[in-house]
Amino acid sequence: MIDISQVLQDISSSELHQAIQVQTKLVSLIREILVREKFVELLPVIISPLTDPLTDFRVRGEVECYGFKYQITKSMIFHKQMAVKAFPRIFCFSPNVRIEPAERRDSGRHLIEFVQLDLEVRGATREEVIELGEKLFSNVIEGIKGLAGPELTELGRKLPNFTPPFERITYEEAVKTYGEDFELKLSSSVKKPVWLVDFPIEIREFYDREYGDRPGILVDMDLIYPEGYGEALSGGEREYQVERIQERIRKKGIDPEAYTIYLKLAESGLYPSAGFGFGIERLTRFVCGLGDIGRTRLFAKKPGQFTL
Ligand code: ASN
């Protein structure tokens, strides 16, 4: 049963009110920066026969329309690859649904319905999108301090300026240094955001590009927040040649039948590209210095929770 009194209590939280004011300004800052950088904004795809496999989520969100099965978007990755055929630089504030394991309910970082700023650049390398990510992140932090001073003071949040370039650590080094739960431990140990790069093929999806000369390692990256806030953004260079994509699907043990449409698109020719997704609620949580991601949006849904 939905607890209406809890919903009413949540929407009247003053922390949430401040956070939503900050978020409004964050979204407008991001949009302004990207338009200045010559990106076009796409409207989101909410349902499609094709979405990110994200194989660690056991449950697929599906809707039936006219006897056909649509999936609810887990990320717009494949649409981004298609979209850069039309426009060289694209972004979208993309709502995603990921039915996360219920154990993540109190992580402070997980919602099953969230929005990511998803962007992709035709012909870009990882290096170029890392530079873009640093510019975007540092400008957004600097900008929000000017635009949302009173809200941040009310929330008791003091933010430094983060000047790029940010340091990098490979996945291998991170695991060696921090062991299990390396992402949060790394995040807690740094004062500036840090890039986690070169993930092994087993733990990522098939679309991030594998180095030509380092089998099993991907040309990808996550940006990790300081102060223990965990992942900020995630992305990489993409596989774009149909034979490579087929090979990667095979290696994952995925039935290629499930990706017939995507493989047809790849056959028609995809551009090389790189991009990333940047979680808006997590950015709001970091900027506002909140413990609970449930305070970053109205109608927040945590894993395992049934609510409005
Ligand atoms: N948006 C991410 C990317 O661009 C993919 C994801 O959200 N899983 O790589």
Side-chain angles (χ1 to χ4, degrees):
M1 224 7 228
I2 294 171
D3 184 349
I4 288 295
S5 65
Q6 186 62 50
V7 174
L8 292 172
Q9 194 181 319
D10 284 347
I11 68 172
S12 58
S13 137
S14 87
E15 203 173 47
L16 179 136
H17 287 195
Q18 303 298 338
I20 302 287
Q21 298 284 357
V22 172
Q23 191 176 74
T24 305
K25 295 171 185 179
L26 284 171
V27 169
S28 111
L29 261 171
I30 291 171
R31 192 170 263 135
E32 195 186 298
I33 293 168
L34 291 178
V35 171
R36 208 188 312 133
E37 294 280 329
K38 307 233 171 347
F39 279 76
V40 296
E41 180 169 1
L42 306 181
L43 297 178
V45 172
I46 314 260
I47 53 168
S48 168
L50 183 63
T51 194
D52 198 325
L54 286 171
T55 32
D56 57 329
F57 301 117
R58 283 150 288 172
V59 195
R60 298 203 320 184
E62 282 182 348
V63 231
E64 204 178 295
C65 302
Y66 317 111
F68 295 102
K69 280 212 174 97
Y70 277 112
Q71 291 189 59
I72 304 170
T73 295
K74 286 190 267 183
S75 98
M76 274 178 57
I77 180 66
F78 302 127
H79 294 81
K80 291 201 298 180
Q81 280 190 292
M82 231 180 303
V84 292
K85 279 168 85 103
F87 300 98
R89 293 157 85 76
I90 54 115
F91 75 97
C92 178
F93 287 100
S94 170
N96 294 180
V97 173
R98 297 182 186 174
I99 305 167
E100 300 266 3
E103 305 86 79
R104 294 186 181 164
R105 179 173 180 151
D106 297 319
S107 71
R109 295 175 294 133
H110 291 96
L111 294 174
I112 62 165
E113 176 181 61
F114 68 96
V115 173
Q116 64 172 321
L117 162 72
D118 226 346
L119 65 77
E120 197 74 15
V121 181
R122 183 199 292 168
T125 59
R126 178 179 69 181
E127 216 43 51
E128 287 164 329
V129 290
I130 281 188
E131 209 176 291
L132 173 72
E134 290 181 341
K135 193 167 171 187
L136 182 65
F137 185 78
S138 50
N139 286 344
V140 162
I141 299 297
E142 204 183 318
I144 200 66
K145 290 196 293 183
L147 283 177
E151 293 89 339
L152 295 175
T153 306
E154 183 80 18
L155 287 160
R157 182 61 161 157
K158 276 207 176 71
L159 285 165
N161 279 338
F162 297 108
T163 316
F166 303 151
E167 273 181 31
R168 298 183 194 186
I169 179 168
T170 65
Y171 176 91
E172 198 185 350
E173 286 170 305
V175 172
K176 219 184 279 165
T177 315
Y178 300 100
E180 229 180 277
D181 212 8
F182 59 90
E183 185 190 294
L184 281 185
K185 288 185 188 144
L186 168 66
S187 176
S188 303
S189 73
V190 290
K191 293 263 173 308
K192 253 173 92 167
V194 54
W195 293 103
L196 187 56
V197 298
D198 296 353
F199 284 79
I201 207 164
E202 305 80 47
I203 68 156
R204 300 283 262 213
E205 303 307 323
F206 67 75
Y207 46 77
D208 281 351
R209 196 172 77 78
E210 189 178 10
Y211 281 95
D213 54 354
R214 295 172 68 196
I217 308 292
L218 305 177
V219 194
D220 60 1
M221 75 289 176
D222 280 3
L223 183 67
I224 306 297
Y225 286 118
E227 301 175 48
Y229 283 89
E231 181 200 306
L233 69 78
S234 183
E237 285 180 26
R238 317 301 181 186
E239 296 287 2
Y240 61 97
Q241 293 145 307
V242 70
E243 307 75 35
R244 292 287 313 139
I245 297 173
Q246 278 163 335
E247 162 79 9
R248 294 289 306 280
I249 290 181
R250 217 175 10 250
K251 274 197 195 160
K252 271 272 169 210
I254 297 175
D255 179 5
E257 285 279 302
Y259 288 92
T260 309
I261 316 169
Y262 179 55
L263 289 167
K264 283 223 171 85
L265 281 161
E267 249 168 52
S268 81
L270 291 172
Y271 282 104
S273 69
F276 55 72
F278 195 171
I280 296 299
E281 291 87 345
R282 287 181 176 183
L283 173 64
T284 310
R285 173 177 179 246
F286 173 73
V287 166
C288 295
L290 304 174
D292 177 8
I293 199 156
R295 289 287 193 242
T296 64
R297 61 173 296 155
L298 291 183
F299 318 117
K301 296 171 188 73
K302 304 233 178 98
Q305 202 179 19
F306 179 58
T307 184
L308 266 192

